Amino acid sequence: MATTAVRSDTLHPGDVVQVSVATGIEVRGALEWDVRVADSGELNLPIIGPVPVGGLTTTEAAERITQEAIGRGKYVAPKITVVIEKPRTYQVRVVGAVNEPDTYELPAARSDLLMALTRARGLADDAAMTVEIRHPDSPELALGGGAEFAGGEMLAGDGTLGGEESLGGDVAQASFRRAAGRSRRVRVDLNEVGEMSAEELRLYDGSVVMVSRRSPRRVNVLGLVREPSAVEMPDGEDLYLLDAIAAAKGTTNGVANQVRITRRVEGEPEPVIIEATLRDARRGGPSNIRLAPGDVVTVEQTPLTVAVDTITTFFRVGFSAALPGL
């Protein structure tokens, strides 16, 4: 599974950073400020003022602050360093077919589907391979390269559609503008997740990951069986006709032989009817077919089974009536 390409030293809104300014003339050492990156991506620094750093690495941010400090006439040749003291985290909820559904705090730089599923202790045994990611109405936009995402398309800094070639160095600041749009939903097939980009799997503050559960795999066994019921198909294994009959405790009539299997086929308006016989199945013939989820197996009444049932009932009733006291 692809992971987010955002570097761990990239600055996000909500990060608390320490900015150190040394000029060489300090008596008590370099100036140090602990400052939180604003939602706009700016650091509002004493003396220097606001400096846009969102989407930049700590090294790039230090260079930007140095340029602004000199350009504004605040310092002549300062040595400035930027260190992330407390990274921003996102609250992400994971629900559905996972081992530990809950709300998790993920580091913003590594907030993606893989991290969320890992924190939730992986997929449950009954998990399907379909995941839906629901982002909040105004998700914080993707970092790295300075592109915004709106409905899955990249936006350049001016809000126009564009690819990577249209992104300039100053476009990174546009990453922290909020997208005024409807909630975004991303459906993920885990079988094809390797073909998706890291940004498609990225999660934001307030994102919800919903892991679907598999529909129960059952066949219904009806007719001349001792316990008509829905029979569960074992995970990862095939279920054959004789297995289903055995799960229903066998037939109620020793001469029962005819079986009808009703199967729904996707795209077909009418079900497919498959005829089989227990005699052929017991001999290892093709009647012992592999069943599909949703099949209805009916052991049918025939003239022979009716006759046997009639004779059996006659002798049972006649014998009981002949006994003294009955």
Side-chain angles (χ1 to χ4, degrees):
M1 183 182 295
T3 56
T4 179
V6 178
R7 293 175 46 167
S8 59
D9 60 348
T10 299
L11 299 181
H12 297 74
D15 285 348
V16 176
V17 300
Q18 183 182 83
V19 179
S20 176
V21 180
T23 63
I25 62 174
E26 293 85 5
V27 177
R28 298 182 180 179
L31 295 174
E32 291 183 351
W33 304 306
D34 288 338
V35 187
R36 186 183 300 274
V37 180
D39 287 344
S40 63
E42 291 183 329
L43 280 177
N44 195 3
L45 300 170
I47 303 175
I48 300 173
V51 179
V53 297
L56 303 179
T57 66
T58 53
T59 300
E60 293 168 341
E63 294 173 355
R64 175 68 64 85
I65 295 170
T66 300
Q67 294 170 0
E68 294 294 332
I70 295 174
R72 297 173 187 178
K74 304 300 182 179
Y75 295 96
V76 177
K79 182 178 180 181
I80 296 177
T81 59
V82 176
V83 178
I84 299 177
E85 289 284 302
K86 185 179 180 181
R88 168 74 183 275
T89 57
Y90 290 158
Q91 296 288 325
V92 173
R93 189 180 176 198
V94 186
V95 297
V98 293
N99 289 316
E100 294 186 12
D102 206 342
T103 298
Y104 293 98
E105 190 174 62
L106 306 182
R110 299 177 58 199
S111 181
D112 58 22
L113 180 59
L114 174 60
M115 175 64 73
L117 295 180
T118 300
R119 293 292 301 275
R121 306 299 181 189
L123 301 176
D125 291 339
D126 62 343
M129 298 303 287
T130 303
V131 177
E132 181 175 277
I133 301 173
R134 296 184 180 180
H135 296 306
D137 286 339
S138 298
E140 190 169 327
L141 300 174
L143 305 181
E148 293 184 12
F149 273 75
E153 295 186 284
M154 298 184 71
L155 296 178
D158 59 359
T160 59
L161 291 175
E164 293 182 358
E165 67 276 5
S166 65
L167 303 175
D170 292 333
V171 180
Q173 307 315 315
S175 300
F176 298 97
R177 289 186 287 124
R178 298 263 174 176
R182 292 175 293 177
S183 297
R184 291 195 295 126
R185 297 189 181 189
V186 179
R187 292 186 66 82
V188 178
D189 183 343
L190 296 179
N191 291 310
E192 301 175 358
V193 74
E195 301 174 8
M196 300 180 68
S197 69
E199 289 300 345
E200 290 177 287
L201 303 176
R202 183 161 172 74
L203 304 177
Y204 303 97
D205 197 25
S207 293
V208 178
V209 175
M210 304 179 66
V211 181
S212 302
R213 296 186 185 277
R214 289 196 309 270
S215 299
R217 299 173 68 246
R218 299 190 182 105
V219 298
N220 291 297
V221 185
L222 309 174
L224 302 181
V225 291
R226 289 189 173 88
E227 292 186 7
S229 60
V231 176
E232 295 281 348
M233 303 183 73
D235 288 336
E237 299 179 22
D238 294 325
L239 184 71
Y240 291 85
L241 175 61
L242 292 182
D243 299 326
I245 301 297
K249 306 302 182 183
T251 61
T252 58
N253 190 306
V255 297
N257 184 49
Q258 296 294 324
V259 179
R260 171 178 293 197
I261 301 163
T262 305
R263 176 173 298 175
R264 287 283 180 182
V265 178
E266 186 176 357
E268 296 294 332
E270 298 295 331
V272 174
I273 305 299
I274 303 171
E275 301 286 350
T277 66
L278 295 178
R279 186 178 300 111
D280 178 71
R282 292 181 181 124
R283 292 173 177 172
S287 286
N288 191 26
I289 70 169
R290 182 173 59 185
L291 301 176
D295 281 355
V296 178
V297 177
T298 305
V299 180
E300 297 189 295
Q301 190 80 268
T302 64
L304 181 58
T305 60
V306 171
V308 170
D309 284 341
T310 301
I311 294 172
T312 302
T313 301
F314 174 80
F315 278 103
R316 183 185 303 117
V317 173
F319 179 74
S320 299
L323 292 177
L326 295 180

